[in-house]
C-alpha cells in the first residue's frame, strides 16, 4: 500500500555518486514510486555526487570530519543535518563513514546500505569499494553480487533486504568486475528496495526484512 505522503529520502555519499544517479533517474522515470529526494550529504568536498544532486535540484551539503576538531563534533553535526532534513529513509550509497550510534538508534530500520558483495561473503571491517572485488578475485569465486540491507550497530550485519548475483568472467580485473556489479546489481536492487519501502511493502519482523 502506497504511503499517504511521498517517502522523504536522504542519500549519503562519499564519491562519484553512481548509485545516487541510479536513484535520481528511477525516481524521475517513476520506477521508484511515491518518493522525494530531499537531500544529499557527502563527507568529501568536491565529489561529483554533489554536482549530480545540484543538477537534479536536490539540496546538497558536505559535512567533512576534517572540518571538526573531534569525531564527536562531526557526529553531532551530521545528525543535526539529517534531523533538519526530516527524512523517512536514509540511504547510504557508497558512504564510507561509520554511522554514529545515536543516528542508528534515532532512525532504527530507516537506514539502508548497498554493499558490493553477497553478504556474508566479503563484508565487514575493511571490505569496501574496490577492496571487495580484489578479495573476491583473489579467492577465485565464480559468483559475486550486491546486497541491500538495513543498518544496525555492526558492520554489514543488519537485516538483508535484497541480493542479486553477478557472474565472474574470465579475465576480470577488480575494476571491470566492480563496474559489472554496479550495472547488473547495485543500480537495480537499491532503487527496488527504496520503492518497496515507499510502497509500504517492506518491514522488519524478528530481526529479518519481510517483503509483502
Amino acid at each position: 500500500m502506497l504511503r499517504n505522503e511521498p517517502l522523504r529520502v536522504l542519500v549519503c555519499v562519499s564519491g562519484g555518486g553512481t548509485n545516487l544517479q541510479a536513484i535520481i533517474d528511477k525516481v524521475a522515470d517513476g520506477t521508484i514510486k511515491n518518493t522525494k529526494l530531499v537531500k544529499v550529504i557527502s563527507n568529501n568536498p568536491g565529489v561529483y555526487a554533489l554536482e549530480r544532486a545540484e543538477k537534479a535540484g536536490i539540496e546538497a551539503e558536505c559535512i567533512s570530519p576534517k572540518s571538526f576538531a573531534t569525531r564527536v563534533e562531526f557526529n553531532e553535526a551530521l545528525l543535526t543535518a539529517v534531523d533538519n532534513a526530516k527524512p523517512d529513509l536514509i540511504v547510504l550509497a557508497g558512504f564510507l563513514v561509520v554511522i554514529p550510534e545515536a543516528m542508528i538508534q534515532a532512525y532504527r530500520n530507516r537506514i539502508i546500505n548497498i554493499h558490493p558483495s553477497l553478504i556474508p561473503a566479503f563484508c565487514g571491517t575493511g571490505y569496501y569499494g574496490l577492496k571487495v572485488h580484489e578479495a573476491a578475485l583473489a579467492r577465485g569465486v565464480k559468483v559475486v553480487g550486491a546486497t541491500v540491507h538495513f543498518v544496525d550497530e555492526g558492520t554489514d550485519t543488519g537485516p538483508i533486504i535484497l541480493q542479486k548475483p553477478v557472474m565472474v568472467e574470465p579475465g576480470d580485473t577488480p575494476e571491470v568486475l566492480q563496474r559489472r556489479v554496479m550495472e547488473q546489481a547495485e543500480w537495480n536492487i537499491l532503487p527496488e528496495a527504496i520503492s518497496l519501502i515507499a510502497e509500504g511493502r517492506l518491514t522488519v519482523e524478528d530481526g529479518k526484512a519481510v517483503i509483502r
Side-chain angles (χ1 to χ4, degrees):
M1 179 183 295
L2 284 173
R3 301 161 53 91
N4 292 329
E5 299 291 335
L7 185 76
R8 295 175 58 84
V9 174
L10 182 152
V11 183
C12 295
V13 296
S14 291
T18 54
N19 273 303
L20 169 63
Q21 190 64 56
I23 296 167
I24 291 171
D25 292 345
K26 292 189 177 184
V27 168
D29 71 14
T31 301
I32 301 176
K33 300 176 179 64
N34 201 40
T35 293
K36 180 179 181 180
L37 300 176
V38 295
K39 187 163 187 171
V40 171
I41 294 177
S42 170
N43 63 301
N44 289 319
V47 295
Y48 189 52
L50 292 171
E51 188 175 329
R52 292 181 193 271
E54 289 165 2
K55 285 181 178 178
I58 305 165
E59 180 184 350
E61 181 179 3
C62 176
I63 304 174
S64 172
K66 296 177 182 178
S67 300
F68 299 89
T70 67
R71 194 55 177 242
V72 170
E73 291 177 10
F74 164 75
N75 288 346
E76 290 175 349
L78 177 62
L79 184 53
T80 296
V82 169
D83 287 343
N84 288 342
K86 297 180 172 59
D88 300 309
L89 178 68
I90 299 164
V91 178
L92 309 183
F95 193 52
L96 304 180
V97 171
V98 176
I99 300 301
E101 188 171 326
M103 184 168 153
I104 294 170
Q105 292 172 353
Y107 293 90
R108 178 75 62 189
N109 297 332
R110 290 195 288 156
I111 308 175
I112 64 173
N113 178 57
I114 181 78
H115 183 75
S117 79
L118 296 174
I119 292 174
F122 308 110
C123 68
T125 303
Y127 285 105
Y128 60 89
L130 207 59
K131 294 180 183 296
V132 175
H133 306 290
E134 290 170 346
L137 290 175
R139 185 68 179 85
V141 299
K142 308 303 181 188
V143 181
V144 291
T147 303
V148 181
H149 64 93
F150 284 107
V151 174
D152 62 10
E153 286 80 359
T155 304
D156 303 326
T157 56
I160 290 172
I161 301 168
L162 295 169
Q163 293 185 304
K164 184 173 177 58
V166 174
M167 298 303 297
V168 177
E169 297 181 4
D172 272 349
T173 64
E175 291 80 8
V176 168
L177 184 58
Q178 180 182 51
R179 184 71 184 187
R180 187 181 310 115
V181 169
M182 287 179 179
E183 292 176 347
Q184 295 185 11
E186 294 181 42
W187 299 348
N188 293 298
I189 63 173
L190 184 55
E192 183 181 351
I194 296 169
S195 192
L196 286 170
I197 294 168
E199 293 171 29
R201 295 178 54 206
L202 180 62
T203 59
V204 177
E205 299 175 12
D206 297 324
K208 294 182 180 180
V210 177
I211 299 171
R212 305 201 180 278

